[in-house]
Amino acid sequence: MAPPPVVTGLSPKEGPPGTRVTIRGEFLGARASDLIGLSICGCDCLLSAEWKSPNKIIARTGSAKGKGDIIVATLNGGVGTSTVQFRAYHESIGPMKESAVWIEESPMQSLAWGRRSLAPTGYSQEDPLGLSIEGNEKKITDDLRDIFPDSCGDLSQENFSPGWFLLEHHNSTSFEDLKAGLSYLRRKVESQRDGQLSFLKANAGSVIDQLDTLMMLRDKYQDDVKLVGNEPVEKLRKAILESIIESKSLFLDVLSRREKADATRAALLALSRHKFLFCLPNSVVRSAKKEEYDIVINDYARSQNLFGKTDVPIFRKVLDEVDVRIAEICKELHKKVVNMPQSVEQQKKFVKALINLSSISSNVSAGQHTKAKFITGDPAWDAIEARSKYLEETYKTTFEQYVAKEGQQSSSKTRDNRDSLPYRVQFCEELTEIAAGWIPDLWRLGQAYFTGELKVLTETKPGNFKKIILKSIEQFCVYIRAAVLSASGQKSLFPSSSLSWPNNSNSAVSQLLQWLPHCLRYVRISYATLIRLDLPSEVLDIVQRLIDQIRLFNLTTVFKRTLDKVKYLEDQEKWTMGVSDYPGATLLPSLLEQLIVETLEECHTTCLNPEMRELSILEPNSDGQREISQRLQDILDAFCGVIESLAFQRTDDDAHGMGVSQMIGFPNSSHVNDSEFKNWGGIVSWEQRLLCCMANCMYCSKTFFPHLGNIFIKFGYPVPNLAIESGQASINGLFNSILETYVEHKSDPLLGTIEPSMYIGRFQWNLVQECVKLRPYAHECYDNLVGVYSEIFTISPSLLRLVLEPIVQTVAEELARLMSCVQKFNAFGAIQANVDIRLLRDALKLYSNSTAKSFFGEALEAIPQLSPEGDKQVNDTLQTIKNDMKLQLMCFSVQNP
């Protein structure tokens, strides 16, 4: 907005109506079109104003009276202020005053009888009081006008005021002189009231002359009556009439032909002189067909200036015909204004022409009666509404066309190339191009409407235009949402609208998802176009919300695609153990890490980098942050499901390929066949796969899942702590489940062989003959535990304690049960039982928890107490056996394998 105009100077500062005034000041407008108002003393003087520069305006005053301000109004600065005032007054016109009005200059009669003054040049009005006014300073006229607003000091005027006269001419006269002047005035009035007798006495000679002249006139009139009668003119009148009739009879034909010739000549002369007017009806039509509306406007305005006030019937008839043609041109122009599509400049050209023609026509209609009916609405606003409606219809038509195309494709069951653009994406491209092309045109047309480029015949409608812009933007966003976001299926993140894409089949949605970045790019291009228009923030926020929703949907889609890839990681597991810190862990977590890194890179490239006037969608507590946390949690849960599937997947070879121990049938995992080697890459048994899965679970819980936070930080994402903690909880639960399965799988066969091996060959504890070595069941139990140890140590030594402690506990519990069930021991039987139990207890000490130690104690308590000799024999036997089994006992003696 420009500063308000200020009037600082005025020349002249007073004058009667019509005075040419030069106004000086500041900010009086950058151009002539900026001047929209000028008021002098409360009178509108805009029509006479002539803009010279931003500091100078020349105008003529109106019919105002008194002092007042000079107020200037400009288009951009508004109503201004004035530091000076102009005084307007109405002056009387006397015989010596130069004036454009004719003054009757009849000679004034002098007091001497019969004498006339030759000219009024010597006329001067004497003082009615008979006083001299020399040396008196006249009262300032401006002050007198303020004191007597409706009076004057001129003796010849009807509104004469004695007070004004005295203040103006005798403001310095003393009161005694004024009294003397009053006496003089009274004597003068009394002298004029003397009778006619005194007047006749003073002018007796003139009166006698007048009587003689009157008598002489009477005598001459009587003589004329005797000579010619009372009606001397009647005979003359009759003679003249007879001569006229006779002359007409003689020259009637000649005169009629002459009249026709004169009329024809006058008509031809009128046609030649006013050829412009008579050809105007056809010329305006021809110019209108060529769209030369400037010529039409100029010719029409010229005709109204030249002949607008004529009373000649033929001219009036031609002007009426011109008005009819102009009315038809206005109707055609109005049709062209609302006819779409067309460019903004073309539409503005039609609007300006229509406004100018309607303005001239309205002046004609106001000044005189005309049969033509002119356009009286607001053509500029009609143009805006027509462009807005066409934009809405274009949106709808484009949407219906692409919906129909997709419906035809689905009904024909033809599959297009996967690389070709889906119809939704094509619709998104075309709709963004329409919005980027038409909304700026609509905005520019509205700006021309409100800035005065298009003359407004009625009051402007800024509120309605704002609604039109908002509606066009909102509809654009609604159609984009219908094509792009209706396939999301997430009503919480993307609220559904009344409009949706009809076909939301899985194939159509899957085709759309891979083109989401493409759609986002086109919407951003149209958004950048709208930003350059300097639209209100309220309008731009609508498109910004749409972009944020598409970005969020793209983010969700990328993570969902990653989730689908994670579910197929099961097929990519080659059981290659490549984690140095966690022996037994495979490369499966690294595959997941690779997928997550690719996902974060893709999201960062396609949807997370904010562009012009965009904000981050990963603000704290935002939908984007919650969505990333939820999707990562789904990915980690799916990864846990992959590990679970790999852990509990068993084939027929796994069920029948188990070896048995030499005595009873303990499972031995040393059997390998070709099919297992081919399928699992060297890890051939189901038990070993369980161990690898447990190692993966430990690695994920302690190292890999916490490391995901660093990956998110590296790519600029907020750390999804909740998802990581949930993934750790899930992977820990899966680890416990796999551990329980593995321990149960190893414990049940082992426990099942202890009792049969203890009583093999009908062994009885009360029939033992000697004790020099371990019983076979103790050997077998220890060897089987060594086999489990060997299997775990080969795959993942870190799992030894976690797996062996519960197995040792169950073995100790079983031994305690069996010892408590023995009814009778002989001396050697008690020694043998002590040797067996104590050897197992001492060998498994490092992998025995408090419960296992308690069970070993219960087993020893169930054996009868030995004598000192028996106790010494037990110690000696144990020492001998330990020496013999030194190599076997070493595997359970390592503190941290």
Side-chain angles (χ1 to χ4, degrees):
M1 294 290 292
V6 179
V7 178
T8 58
L10 188 65
S11 178
K13 293 185 177 180
E14 62 178 7
T19 302
R20 191 172 185 265
V21 180
T22 301
I23 301 170
R24 299 187 182 275
E26 296 179 346
F27 313 116
L28 303 181
R31 60 185 64 87
S33 59
D34 288 349
L35 183 63
I36 60 173
L38 176 61
S39 174
I40 301 177
C41 297
C43 183
D44 188 3
C45 302
L46 180 61
L47 292 178
S48 64
E50 182 180 358
W51 184 89
K52 294 295 185 180
S53 69
N55 304 101
K56 180 179 178 182
I57 295 175
I58 296 177
R60 291 192 178 272
T61 60
S63 59
K65 187 176 182 181
K67 287 186 177 181
D69 293 330
I70 294 86
I71 306 300
V72 178
T74 61
L75 184 62
N76 296 322
V79 180
T81 57
S82 174
T83 60
V84 295
Q85 288 186 327
F86 181 82
R87 185 180 67 80
Y89 58 86
H90 292 269
E91 63 180 1
S92 301
I93 305 300
M96 301 302 294
K97 178 68 177 178
E98 294 183 359
S99 174
V101 181
W102 177 262
I103 302 297
E104 181 64 31
E105 298 181 351
S106 59
M108 299 183 65
Q109 299 291 337
S110 65
L111 295 178
W113 176 260
R115 295 184 179 180
R116 300 169 181 262
S117 59
L118 297 178
T121 55
Y123 170 75
S124 61
Q125 187 182 33
E126 66 178 5
D127 186 71
L129 300 179
L131 300 175
S132 174
I133 60 174
E134 295 183 359
N136 285 341
E137 294 182 357
K138 288 190 175 183
K139 187 70 174 179
I140 299 174
T141 309
D142 294 345
D143 298 337
L144 294 176
R145 284 195 179 94
D146 294 338
I147 298 173
F148 305 97
D150 299 327
S151 304
C152 70
D154 188 357
L155 290 170
S156 62
Q157 300 296 324
E158 295 181 357
N159 57 346
F160 168 73
S161 173
W164 181 313
F165 180 83
L166 292 176
L167 288 174
E168 182 178 3
H169 299 283
H170 297 281
N171 59 337
S172 299
T173 305
S174 65
F175 182 72
E176 295 299 328
D177 291 341
L178 290 176
K179 291 172 64 177
L182 178 60
S183 301
Y184 171 79
L185 183 62
R186 284 176 177 172
R187 287 194 304 272
K188 189 174 182 179
V189 171
E190 290 296 332
S191 64
Q192 290 181 356
R193 291 180 180 177
D194 293 341
Q196 289 85 1
L197 181 61
S198 61
F199 178 78
L200 290 174
K201 289 180 179 181
N203 299 279
S206 299
V207 172
I208 293 172
D209 291 340
Q210 292 173 2
L211 288 174
D212 294 340
T213 302
L214 290 175
M215 292 178 66
M216 183 183 64
L217 288 173
R218 187 193 65 178
D219 294 341
K220 287 185 176 182
Y221 180 74
Q222 290 176 353
D223 295 338
D224 289 339
V225 170
K226 292 178 181 179
L227 181 63
V228 296
N230 292 328
E231 298 294 337
V233 182
E234 184 64 24
K235 294 180 180 179
L236 181 60
R237 187 182 71 82
K238 291 180 180 179
I240 292 174
L241 290 177
E242 290 176 357
S243 64
I244 290 174
I245 294 172
E246 187 66 21
S247 63
K248 283 184 178 181
S249 63
L250 292 175
F251 300 101
L252 181 61
D253 294 336
V254 176
L255 293 176
S256 62
R257 287 195 298 271
R258 181 179 178 181
E259 288 178 358
K260 289 181 180 180
D262 291 342
T264 304
R265 192 178 298 108
L268 293 175
L269 180 61
L271 287 174
S272 177
R273 290 182 59 188
H274 305 293
K275 180 180 179 181
F276 161 75
L277 177 63
F278 291 107
C279 296
L280 187 60
N282 293 330
S283 65
V284 294
V285 173
R286 287 195 301 269
S287 299
K289 289 181 179 180
K290 298 178 182 179
E291 296 188 354
E292 296 174 349
Y293 296 107
D294 292 339
I295 298 177
V296 176
I297 295 170
N298 292 334
D299 291 347
Y300 187 49
R302 180 184 171 192
S303 67
Q304 295 301 326
N305 291 332
L306 294 176
F307 305 99
K309 297 180 180 180
T310 183
D311 294 329
V312 179
I314 186 63
F315 291 168
R316 189 77 266 153
K317 184 176 180 180
V318 174
L319 288 176
D320 291 340
E321 180 64 23
V322 172
D323 291 340
V324 172
R325 301 290 177 89
I326 292 296
E328 294 175 355
I329 293 173
C330 288
K331 293 178 181 179
E332 292 297 325
L333 267 176
H334 191 270
K335 292 180 181 179
K336 291 183 178 181
V337 166
V338 300
N339 185 29
M340 288 292 156
Q342 61 178 317
S343 65
V344 174
E345 296 302 323
Q346 186 76 2
Q347 200 172 18
K348 287 164 64 175
K349 172 186 174 182
F350 294 148
V351 169
K352 290 177 181 178
L354 181 56
I355 289 176
N356 290 329
L357 287 176
S358 299
S359 177
I360 300 173
S361 301
S362 61
N363 294 334
V364 174
S365 300
Q368 59 192 24
H369 176 71
T370 178
K371 297 180 181 179
K373 294 182 179 180
F374 302 104
I375 301 297
T376 58
D378 191 348
W381 184 253
D382 293 341
I384 293 174
E385 288 186 338
R387 186 167 288 273
S388 172
K389 291 179 181 178
Y390 179 77
L391 182 58
E392 296 175 11
E393 294 174 357
T394 304
Y395 285 158
K396 183 179 179 181
T397 304
T398 307
F399 179 78
E400 292 174 351
Q401 287 177 353
Y402 280 97
V403 168
K405 289 180 180 179
E406 187 167 301
Q408 293 174 0
Q409 178 185 354
S410 58
S411 61
S412 62
K413 298 181 180 181
T414 57
R415 296 184 60 185
D416 292 340
N417 187 3
R418 298 285 296 181
D419 296 333
S420 62
L421 287 177
Y423 285 117
R424 295 188 190 213
V425 180
Q426 296 180 25
F427 168 74
C428 183
E429 288 183 2
E430 185 168 346
L431 198 70
T432 52
E433 291 176 357
I434 291 172
W438 282 86
I439 294 179
D441 289 346
L442 179 61
W443 175 256
R444 284 193 290 269
L445 187 61
Q447 292 301 105
Y449 175 74
F450 289 106
T451 56
E453 182 181 352
L454 302 178
K455 295 181 181 179
V456 181
L457 300 180
T458 59
E459 185 179 357
T460 58
K461 309 167 186 176
N464 295 339
F465 181 69
K466 181 179 179 182
K467 292 179 181 179
I468 288 175
I469 291 294
L470 283 173
K471 186 177 181 182
S472 61
I473 297 292
E474 287 173 351
Q475 284 190 337
F476 165 69
C477 295
V478 166
Y479 282 105
I480 293 295
R481 283 192 185 93
V484 178
L485 298 182
S486 62
S488 64
Q490 294 183 342
K491 295 183 179 179
S492 59
L493 293 178
F494 315 114
S496 59
S497 60
S498 58
L499 187 66
S500 61
W501 198 273
N503 184 16
N504 277 327
S505 61
N506 294 332
S507 59
V509 172
S510 62
Q511 286 183 356
L512 171 66
L513 296 182
Q514 61 182 340
W515 291 97
L516 276 179
H518 186 77
C519 298
L520 177 60
R521 183 169 65 254
Y522 268 86
V523 176
R524 278 175 164 171
I525 291 173
S526 62
Y527 184 49
T529 303
L530 298 180
I531 290 176
R532 288 193 291 270
L533 297 177
D534 195 20
L535 291 169
S537 298
E538 182 182 357
V539 178
L540 296 176
D541 289 342
I542 299 174
V543 187
Q544 182 184 351
R545 286 194 293 270
L546 172 65
I547 292 176
D548 290 343
Q549 290 174 356
I550 298 178
R551 292 168 64 194
L552 183 57
F553 183 33
N554 194 6
L555 177 72
T556 304
T557 302
V558 173
F559 272 87
K560 282 185 177 180
R561 195 157 54 240
T562 304
L563 177 62
D564 295 336
K565 293 179 181 179
V566 169
K567 294 178 181 179
Y568 290 101
L569 286 179
E570 180 181 347
D571 299 334
Q572 302 179 29
E573 176 61 276
K574 303 301 180 184
W575 301 104
T576 302
M577 293 177 285
V579 183
S580 59
D581 296 337
Y582 280 87
T586 66
L587 298 178
L588 189 63
S590 65
L591 296 177
L592 176 62
E593 180 179 358
Q594 182 179 354
L595 288 178
I596 292 177
V597 169
E598 292 175 354
T599 301
L600 298 182
E601 288 179 345
E602 183 178 358
C603 291
H604 194 274
T605 303
T606 58
C607 58
L608 291 185
N609 279 333
E611 296 187 1
M612 285 190 301
R613 208 180 174 274
E614 294 180 9
L615 301 176
S616 174
I617 61 175
L618 300 180
E619 296 292 333
N621 301 321
S622 62
D623 291 337
Q625 188 172 359
R626 288 191 291 270
E627 186 69 12
I628 284 184
S629 180
Q630 180 62 42
R631 294 306 166 191
L632 180 62
Q633 183 175 341
D634 294 341
I635 289 173
L636 297 183
D637 290 342
F639 184 70
C640 293
V642 170
I643 295 177
E644 183 178 5
S645 177
L646 290 171
F648 295 109
Q649 183 181 20
R650 298 181 65 180
T651 63
D652 295 338
D653 294 334
D654 293 326
H656 297 92
M658 296 178 184
V660 295
S661 64
Q662 291 83 357
M663 296 180 62
I664 302 301
F666 183 80
N668 190 345
S669 59
S670 61
H671 179 70
V672 180
N673 58 39
D674 295 338
S675 62
E676 289 173 342
F677 184 86
K678 184 182 299 184
N679 291 334
W680 302 106
I683 303 176
V684 295
S685 66
W686 175 59
E687 294 88 347
Q688 291 170 328
R689 296 201 297 274
L690 288 176
L691 292 173
C692 289
C693 290
M694 282 191 288
N696 284 335
C697 290
M698 289 184 63
Y699 170 66
C700 291
S701 177
K702 296 181 179 180
T703 302
F704 176 58
F705 284 2
H707 173 64
L708 291 178
N710 297 330
I711 296 177
F712 275 78
I713 293 175
K714 177 182 177 182
F715 287 95
Y717 289 75
V719 180
N721 293 319
L722 184 62
I724 293 175
E725 292 173 1
S726 176
Q728 286 178 313
S730 300
I731 205 72
N732 289 335
L734 177 60
F735 175 80
N736 292 331
S737 177
I738 298 174
L739 176 62
E740 182 180 352
T741 301
Y742 184 80
V743 170
E744 182 181 355
H745 178 71
K746 291 297 184 182
S747 299
D748 290 347
L750 191 148
L751 296 179
T753 61
I754 294 176
E755 185 175 2
S757 299
M758 180 181 293
Y759 295 103
I760 193 172
R762 298 181 180 181
F763 172 79
Q764 297 294 328
W765 289 102
N766 59 351
L767 299 178
V768 178
Q769 300 297 325
E770 59 180 347
C771 179
V772 292
K773 61 179 180 179
L774 284 177
R775 288 282 297 151
Y777 80 91
H779 270 293
E780 184 177 16
C781 182
Y782 189 79
D783 290 342
N784 287 333
L785 287 174
V786 170
V788 175
Y789 181 95
S790 175
E791 183 178 67
I792 299 173
F793 186 83
T794 304
I795 302 300
S796 181
S798 60
L799 297 174
L800 283 172
R801 186 169 299 280
L802 295 174
V803 176
L804 288 177
E805 278 189 1
I807 295 177
V808 170
Q809 178 180 330
T810 56
V811 169
E813 183 180 4
E814 181 66 15
L815 291 175
R817 185 187 69 80
L818 292 175
M819 291 297 104
S820 64
C821 292
V822 177
Q823 296 179 358
K824 185 179 180 181
F825 289 92
N826 61 7
F828 289 105
I831 292 172
Q832 183 67 53
N834 268 285
V835 170
D836 297 340
I837 300 301
R838 289 172 64 181
L839 177 68
L840 292 174
R841 183 194 66 182
D842 295 342
L844 303 174
K845 178 175 60 176
L846 292 177
Y847 295 93
S848 299
N849 54 24
S850 59
T851 304
K853 292 177 182 179
S854 175
F855 282 130
F856 279 122
E858 291 179 7
L860 292 174
E861 290 174 0
I863 303 171
Q865 188 174 8
L866 298 176
S867 62
E869 293 80 5
D871 190 49
K872 182 178 181 302
Q873 184 179 355
V874 169
N875 292 332
D876 294 340
T877 305
L878 279 175
Q879 187 61 39
T880 303
I881 295 173
K882 288 181 179 180
N883 291 333
D884 295 339
M885 298 178 60
K886 183 177 181 179
L887 188 61
Q888 291 93 327
L889 295 175
M890 284 179 63
C891 78
F892 286 103
S893 63
V894 180
Q895 183 72 27
N896 294 312

